[in-house]
Amino acid sequence: MEGIADMGGTPGWGPVHPPRRDEPVFEEPWQSRAFALATLSGRVAYGGVNLDAFRHALERLDRAAYLNDGYYGRWLNGAELMLTDSAILAPGAIDARARNLRGEHVAEPPIPEPAVPDYAPTAEGSLRSVATAPAFAVGERVRAKAMPVPGHTRLPGYVRGHTGTVEIVQPAFVLPDTNAHFQGEHPQHVYSVRFASRELWGADAEPFALTAELFESYLEATS
Amino acid sequence: MTRTDGGAGESPPAALRTEALEQLLTERGLIDPKALDGVITTYETNVGPLNGAKVVARAWTDPEYRRRLLEDGTAAIKELGFSGAQGEHIVVVENTATTHNVVVCTLCSCYPWPVLGLPPSWYKDPAYRARVVKEPRTVLSEMGLELDHDVRITVHDSTSEVRWFVLPERPAGTGHLSEEQLVPLVTRDAMVGVAKVVAP
């Protein structure tokens, strides 16, 4: 999916922030509530834990909703989007309640008729076993497909079209591209693919290697 | 989305919107505030980088454990009692005098919660997510870690549910320390690969 969340290699973010010693887990109390609410809201919104759908909700936030209130603000906004997806909450319900909490007198939207997806994961978590043998082997050259993905994906933009080497054949995991949209788990093997920095970023790049874990359907063989 | 302005002034701040969401879900019986407290307690007190430090100290002092850890990280970490969400499949990579591994998630902020807890702010920061996959040596230098030019860097982008955990290099001069004495030396940042462990 294109958008703010796919940040690898994007310019304009300025210097990194050096680690601080003794940084608290949560800087402010609301962040811990937002974290826990988002964790539990997925189940309320979708009838079962679907991490891919949560990530897809985060990706659909606009730039301000993604960035302005930091990481936990993003989780709060993602939780709201999941809950409005499933019509557990009406759009604007949180905003209206928050205004009333600070003393404004605004009408709150009526509770809608819920439309929770018909969803049940086949097991906990994302690891699955598949009967099919891995399509690619350790040491094989593979190319990340240069494909546009309209919905959720875990194929980052910066590796698309680039060639690397399979370093580890990982187990099979639920395919995020379909699972996020409640279109089935379709588990696939995942491959840790090693890319050279100059393959990704050109001849002037710092010398280093990068691995990304890519689902089988993201990859194609190279001749 | 969600930052809609109804026309009556500024949109309420995140703290107030969080309180509103909790009220809306609680009053309809959709969540139990005690369950929220439970989640928060778990990540504020039970799960954190101390778990990972115990893994590292064990690997530094027990060569057989180190071998198992590098071969099957998930199982070896579970031996010490650490497993759970965001730790289904953990792969451990070792930093040495000549190879340096550093971990990121460019797509969100995936992180091995059972061994490190929730990620620190720098890990979630767009600047880190965007830049460490493009200029890791520069980024590490900005974070205070200068690597020799002959050190080979590998960046691991956590694009699937595989979680990466860095076994840092044991610092010189710690040969006399016990496993228990080594644990407090091991920092979260070293286990992500943006710092080294230093001798006391």
Side-chain angles (χ1 to χ4, degrees), chain B residues 19 32 40 43 58 62-63 80 134 138-139 141 175-176 178 193:
Chain B
E19 190 182 337
D32 177 356
I40 294 165
Y43 289 101
R58 174 68 55 87
D62 179 346
L80 301 194
K134 194 169 186 180
T138 304
V139 165
S141 172
H176 62 292
S178 68

Side-chain angles (χ1 to χ4, degrees), chain A residues 46-76:
Chain A
Y46 298 140
V49 174
N50 186 321
L51 188 57
D52 301 308
F54 175 54
R55 292 197 182 117
H56 186 53
L58 298 179
E59 289 167 354
R60 284 180 287 147
L61 300 173
D62 67 24
R63 189 181 172 89
Y66 193 90
L67 295 175
N68 285 7
D69 292 313
Y71 182 70
Y72 293 111
R74 177 180 317 155
W75 279 46
L76 171 68

Side-chain angles (χ1 to χ4, degrees), chain B residues 15-63:
Chain B
L16 212 52
R17 289 169 42 254
T18 303
E19 190 182 337
L21 175 58
E22 183 171 342
Q23 267 193 9
L24 288 167
L25 296 181
T26 303
E27 68 194 18
R28 286 164 60 188
L30 295 171
I31 56 149
D32 177 356
K34 289 200 192 71
L36 297 179
D37 296 338
V39 171
I40 294 165
T41 302
T42 295
Y43 289 101
E44 278 194 327
T45 59
N46 303 343
V47 178
L50 179 59
N51 294 355
K54 289 174 178 170
V55 171
V56 170
R58 174 68 55 87
W60 282 349
T61 53
D62 179 346

Side-chain angles (χ1 to χ4, degrees), chain B:
Chain B
M1 86 132 261
T2 73
R3 309 278 304 189
T4 51
D5 187 345
E10 289 278 299
S11 183
L16 212 52
R17 289 169 42 254
T18 303
E19 190 182 337
L21 175 58
E22 183 171 342
Q23 267 193 9
L24 288 167
L25 296 181
T26 303
E27 68 194 18
R28 286 164 60 188
L30 295 171
I31 56 149
D32 177 356
K34 289 200 192 71
L36 297 179
D37 296 338
V39 171
I40 294 165
T41 302
T42 295
Y43 289 101
E44 278 194 327
T45 59
N46 303 343
V47 178
L50 179 59
N51 294 355
K54 289 174 178 170
V55 171
V56 170
R58 174 68 55 87
W60 282 349
T61 53
D62 179 346
E64 184 53 28
Y65 182 77
R66 173 180 162 276
R67 187 192 62 73
R68 291 202 298 282
L69 183 68
L70 293 172
E71 194 174 281
D72 182 349
T74 319
I77 285 166
K78 202 170 184 178
E79 278 180 46
L80 301 194
F82 311 130
S83 62
Q86 295 298 308
E88 267 190 294
H89 188 73
I90 301 178
V91 179
V92 180
V93 281
E94 185 174 36
N95 281 350
T96 70
T98 54
T99 62
H100 187 88
N101 295 279
V102 58
V103 183
V104 65
C105 170
T106 59
L107 297 173
C108 39
S109 292
C110 295
Y111 195 72
W113 292 1
V115 271
L116 295 182
L118 298 180
S121 54
W122 60 261
Y123 186 84
K124 300 174 287 195
D125 189 71
Y128 181 77
R129 285 170 54 188
R131 292 183 53 210
V132 79
V133 295
K134 194 169 186 180
E135 42 177 359
R137 191 174 290 273
T138 304
V139 165
L140 292 172
S141 172
E142 284 175 31
M143 297 179 83
L145 178 62
E146 300 287 348
L147 294 172
D148 289 342
H149 274 278
D150 55 353
V151 173
R152 292 191 306 276
I153 298 175
T154 301
V155 179
H156 301 276
D157 189 356
S158 309
T159 51
S160 76
E161 297 307 319
V162 175
R163 294 288 165 269
W164 295 86
F165 178 81
V166 175
L167 174 59
E169 198 182 356
R170 181 170 176 167
T174 59
H176 62 292
L177 297 180
S178 68
E179 183 181 335
E180 290 71 27
Q181 290 170 316
L182 289 166
V183 169
L185 305 185
V186 183
T187 62
R188 171 196 64 202
D189 303 334
M191 295 181 280
V192 189
V194 300
K196 289 190 178 208
V197 178
V198 292

